[in-house]
Amino acid sequence: MGRIDHGPAGGSEGGQRAGDAAPTGTSGTTGTAGTAGAAGASGTAGTAGAGGAVADDTGTGTDTVRSAAAGYWERRGMPTVPGQVAVAPGSSLLLLAVLAAQAAQSGEDEEDEQAGEAGGALRTAAGRRTVPGPGAVFLPRPCSRRYARQARLLGRAVHTVPVPVECGGVPDPFALLEAVRRARTRGTAGRPGEPGGREQGPSGVLVLSVADDVTGTTVPPELLHEVCEAAAEEGLLLVSDETWRDTSHRPHDTVVVSPAEMLHGSAHADAVVVLTGLNPAGPVPLPPGAAAGAARFPATGRGARIGARTGEVLAALGAGLSRASAAAAAAALAESAEVRERRDAATRLHGARADALHRAVTAAGAVCRPPHVGRGVYADFEQLRSRLAARGIRDAPALEAELVRGLAGHRPPRAGDGPGGTGVLGGHRFGDDPHALRVRLATDLLAGARGPGHTPEMEPAAFPEGADLLELPGAAQALTQVQSVLADLTDGSSH
């Protein structure tokens, strides 16, 4: 199977999308959304027996969010009960908690072997002594900026693996096997390249995204099956970020399958944790200031243990939902007809913008996977390297800077934008090779000029099938500007 080798991870990472921040100790935020799996779990609200859910004593409505999340996943072919669900103020915080919980669980299983070797013990709310950092965290390259950040906060070794030719969001399965075995042979326990450590235990984590907002692609089911098999062969826990799974531009032509669906009923059914995030910039925008994330744990003993530890980590961080966030998240996950209509209209609109951007970048000579999901395209200008070099552009930061300069003043900044508020981010910000000429362009580039008070709720309320994007106010002018900037960039002149 061929793949695009994006080279080693490097470069600085940009800020994270609105709603991914993890507010703790904030006024109006109380308690922690604990979780209970098949074998029971714990959290600040109390402890449940077998199969029971944590009581919602905080008054924030987190039980309602867990119930709504269970229904959300049930409708997507993943049978779920509220006791399998944890919630927190954002998917980034949940990822941090899940990684810490996996470390804690593996640490308890191997505590006799690892005691004294860990660089500091993590004490959970229940007072257990656990060992952080068993196994590495493997990530597709490129991927969301927050994945590596959360892993490194816990001192975990992070290894990036190139994505296949077909799509982003997952590593090439053969490259994944090579990366896992190479990591264990090297025996690094810290960040790549740090001497003197070792991989602690046989376990590790693979974070993936079957609907990848970075590249705008979805993972074909047959390829996902190969990735799941490779990960299971190496004993990896899969953490599947499915925040953008409901943003298929052509839902009748695009199949999005979760690893939890694929492995259901198999010997590896306990190896998948599913995440989804809700925030003001997400597929179903929450009100400004509201944010939430939900995690689904397997209905197995292992799933219950990791879920319980996740609840303990969230409790230790004081990471509870505000009442406003809980109410907004529950309403979004319940998917009323109004919510579905608004989400579908936004998806069609961003799909039309993504298609227009794809045509613009390929017309300029770049290589770009056709977008199927999310709100951006990922363009590769490598085959235009000599032309860009004539203008002094030899890497992703320089490519980003030139596009930002050309598009500056196009529209006011928004959450998730690149420098200057242009919606342009170099590939180095997603863990890609900083020397490669790759860049992500956000669909909001084609939204046209807008006032500083613009919010996602002000987007067109209706965008029916077959509607003409260029009939929207400012869209034709915005597309013309993007085309002009790209043509000027790649015309071969040195200026």
Side-chain angles (χ1 to χ4, degrees):
M1 179 180 298
R3 65 177 184 271
I4 298 174
D5 189 347
H6 292 313
S12 60
E13 293 182 334
Q16 57 194 53
R17 187 177 285 109
D20 283 335
T24 58
T26 306
S27 175
T29 300
T30 58
T32 290
T35 179
S42 60
T44 56
T47 303
V54 174
D56 180 22
D57 294 336
T58 66
T60 62
T62 52
D63 265 359
T64 305
V65 180
R66 284 195 292 270
S67 295
Y72 170 89
W73 279 309
E74 185 87 30
R75 292 189 293 276
R76 284 153 183 79
M78 291 176 274
T80 309
V81 298
Q84 291 173 249
V85 179
V87 298
S91 58
S92 288
L93 180 58
L94 264 176
L95 175 60
L96 178 73
V98 169
L99 292 177
Q102 184 267 347
Q105 183 59 45
S106 297
E108 285 189 357
D109 292 342
E110 302 169 21
E111 189 171 14
D112 290 341
E113 175 187 349
Q114 297 179 3
E117 295 183 14
L122 171 67
R123 293 190 177 275
T124 67
R128 294 184 179 90
R129 182 188 183 284
T130 57
V131 182
V137 175
F138 296 88
L139 306 175
R141 184 171 69 236
C143 69
S144 173
R145 293 168 285 166
R146 67 185 186 274
Y147 298 163
R149 182 183 302 126
Q150 305 304 79
R152 286 172 177 146
L153 279 173
L154 295 170
R156 302 291 288 271
V158 174
H159 302 282
T160 60
V161 186
V163 299
V165 171
E166 298 94 316
C167 64
V170 296
D172 177 275
F174 301 114
L176 175 63
L177 290 173
E178 294 171 8
V180 174
R181 292 163 185 171
R182 188 167 56 248
R184 287 174 179 160
T185 299
R186 284 205 308 262
T188 54
R191 294 176 182 168
E194 289 184 350
R198 73 177 185 88
E199 292 290 358
Q200 300 176 10
S203 60
V205 177
L206 169 63
V207 183
L208 55 84
S209 177
V210 290
D212 184 39
D213 187 50
V214 174
T215 61
T217 61
T218 57
V219 184
E222 61 275 12
L223 176 60
L224 180 62
H225 184 264
E226 292 183 42
V227 173
C228 290
E229 279 193 336
E233 180 179 334
E234 296 299 333
L236 302 180
L237 176 71
L238 285 83
V239 178
S240 179
D241 182 356
E242 300 178 14
T243 296
W244 295 91
R245 70 168 291 161
D246 298 317
T247 62
S248 294
H249 302 161
R250 290 167 288 277
H252 299 298
D253 301 328
T254 304
V255 177
V256 179
V257 180
S258 170
E261 297 174 80
M262 187 160 284
L263 296 178
H264 180 70
S266 75
H268 305 293
D270 65 349
V272 184
V273 176
V274 178
L275 299 182
T276 191
L278 300 158
N279 58 64
V284 181
L286 298 189
R296 177 192 183 273
F297 299 92
T300 64
R302 181 191 186 194
R305 290 191 296 273
I306 296 177
R309 302 299 182 269
T310 299
E312 292 170 356
V313 173
L314 293 172
L317 294 174
L321 290 179
S322 69
R323 289 173 176 81
S325 291
L333 291 167
E335 298 182 295
S336 67
E338 179 184 356
V339 166
R340 293 196 305 272
E341 289 170 6
R342 186 175 45 164
R343 181 184 64 209
D344 292 347
T347 295
R348 285 192 295 270
L349 175 60
H350 285 282
R353 290 172 178 169
D355 287 343
L357 276 178
H358 179 257
R359 290 192 296 271
V361 297
T362 54
V367 174
C368 184
R369 298 178 182 89
H372 293 287
V373 72
R375 299 183 178 181
V377 298
Y378 200 72
D380 187 336
F381 288 82
E382 277 296 316
Q383 64 185 32
L384 300 172
R385 179 170 286 279
S386 60
R387 293 187 184 182
L388 295 176
R391 303 192 59 171
I393 302 170
R394 296 179 174 83
D395 55 24
L399 177 60
E400 176 192 276
E402 185 65 18
L403 286 169
V404 166
R405 185 194 64 77
L407 295 168
H410 175 50
R411 62 173 178 79
R414 281 191 61 187
D417 279 347
T422 62
V424 176
L425 287 169
H428 61 296
R429 298 183 183 275
F430 303 100
D432 211 340
D433 181 358
H435 300 292
L437 294 170
R438 287 186 275 269
V439 65
R440 182 184 185 274
L441 303 176
T443 54
D444 278 343
L445 281 169
L446 303 187
R450 301 177 299 195
H454 186 92
T455 66
E457 290 80 4
M458 297 178 188
E459 294 283 81
F463 192 76
E465 293 281 355
D468 187 350
L469 171 69
L470 301 184
E471 290 183 358
L472 296 178
Q477 180 182 359
L479 179 58
T480 298
Q481 181 174 6
V482 170
Q483 292 170 329
S484 175
V485 169
L486 290 171
D488 182 64
L489 181 70
T490 59
D491 67 359
S493 63
S494 60
H495 289 258

